[in-house]
Amino acid sequence: MKREGFHRSLEEVMASHGIFHKVERDVYRWKNVATFEAVESIIISNERREIHERIAGSLEHLSDESKGIVFYARHHAMAKQWEKAFDLYMMAGKKAEEEIDFTGAVSLYTEAKPCLSRTRVKPSLKRKLSPHAALGSCYRELVRYDEAEEELEFCLDKTMDIPEDERDLAFREIEIDVITTLAKLKQAQSKYGEAMELYERALPTARGTKELQSNIVWLAHHVANCAEIYRKSGDLQKAAALHTEALGYRECAAKENLCSSLELSLSFTQLGTTEAGLGNHSEAYNLHKKALSIRMEQ
């Protein structure tokens, strides 16, 4: 019965698509070699996908971190499980960055980018921009400034495309992260004027989030980065004011255990260095002494 059913199916395909012709009883031949090769390719592709699905499925018992380290993202990509593949490529890229392997991280983030375009679910803005922003940072570390600027300018353009009435707090955080990352690139290129313009553009929005405790450390980080730009460009008065502001945020965060001792001591150190540059040596000494005592307590 199975054999009869198979031949009946062949007869139906032959009648509807005309891709076979019957040579003799129970013997069929492809009319066109190209058609045969196309069908063969589809079958092989489907079998390959099934194999990768099985491999990916066998890895479910592993932690995401372990899968990221050994780059199992490729199996999910070959199985067309694009969301999982994206997450693992990004995780592996972050791990490579932590190991100072920026070249490897670039390769992984590059693999991640096309995964999102193949998913059926529309990604959030943050998710869509994350590989581009990560690439921008890695290219900066590799002194590939033109490529870094291209990735970061892409992120900035995409954020600016969002209508004003849709720009919620989550959007503002993305916008500021993109602008400040681009500012760091300009700083690395010693383009302090452009870097300061970008920070000055970001700071008013960043300060608007300070009422949310969870954002205090994040805000302090951006204000301190801006202060360092001013310090390195020679505007010590402005740098001192901004470092004082950042220190205030971190002291508030420390009371709620939201700020590490290293971050807090860093603020005292940066302000102390700035005060020393202004000739306020007694104040600088006290700030550095405070930074040291915080570190000694740990």
Side-chain angles (χ1 to χ4, degrees), residues 213-284:
Q213 280 193 339
S214 61
N215 284 325
I216 290 178
V217 176
W218 171 83
L219 175 57
H221 171 74
H222 288 302
V223 173
N225 281 341
C226 184
E228 282 298 282
I229 295 287
Y230 278 104
R231 184 180 68 81
K232 291 176 182 178
S233 65
D235 190 343
L236 298 181
Q237 292 287 355
K238 183 73 172 178
L242 288 169
H243 273 311
T244 300
E245 182 184 349
L247 175 58
Y249 294 144
R250 283 177 173 156
E251 285 181 315
C252 288
K255 293 176 182 177
E256 302 295 332
N257 294 318
L258 298 173
C259 176
S260 70
S261 59
L262 178 60
E263 290 172 313
L264 184 58
S265 65
L266 177 61
S267 266
F268 278 105
T269 299
Q270 289 175 326
L271 182 54
T273 301
T274 306
E275 291 292 352
L278 287 167
N280 301 326
H281 300 297
S282 177
E283 180 67 17

Side-chain angles (χ1 to χ4, degrees), residues 70-93:
V70 292
F71 305 153
Y72 279 126
R74 193 174 302 276
H75 289 299
H76 287 278
M78 294 299 290
K80 302 188 186 304
Q81 296 171 345
W82 303 115
E83 287 281 334
K84 193 64 176 177
F86 175 83
D87 289 337
L88 289 172
Y89 276 130
M90 293 299 295
M91 190 183 301

Side-chain angles (χ1 to χ4, degrees), residues 126 164-177 205-215 218:
K126 184 174 183 177
E164 187 66 36
D165 59 353
E166 296 179 18
R167 298 184 180 187
D168 55 11
L169 181 59
F171 166 83
R172 296 300 181 189
E173 291 187 4
I174 296 167
E175 178 189 22
I176 293 164
D177 284 338
T205 303
R207 288 188 178 107
T209 67
K210 68 182 179 183
E211 70 275 11
L212 300 177
Q213 280 193 339
S214 61
N215 284 325
W218 171 83

Side-chain angles (χ1 to χ4, degrees), residues 62-113:
L62 297 176
S63 68
D64 282 343
E65 183 179 2
S66 298
K67 286 187 280 190
I69 292 171
V70 292
F71 305 153
Y72 279 126
R74 193 174 302 276
H75 289 299
H76 287 278
M78 294 299 290
K80 302 188 186 304
Q81 296 171 345
W82 303 115
E83 287 281 334
K84 193 64 176 177
F86 175 83
D87 289 337
L88 289 172
Y89 276 130
M90 293 299 295
M91 190 183 301
K94 183 175 176 60
K95 183 67 178 178
E97 280 194 77
E98 291 171 354
E99 296 173 352
I100 322 299
D101 179 12
F102 294 109
T103 300
V106 164
S107 177
L108 290 161
Y109 291 140
T110 301
E111 293 266 21
K113 284 167 68 174

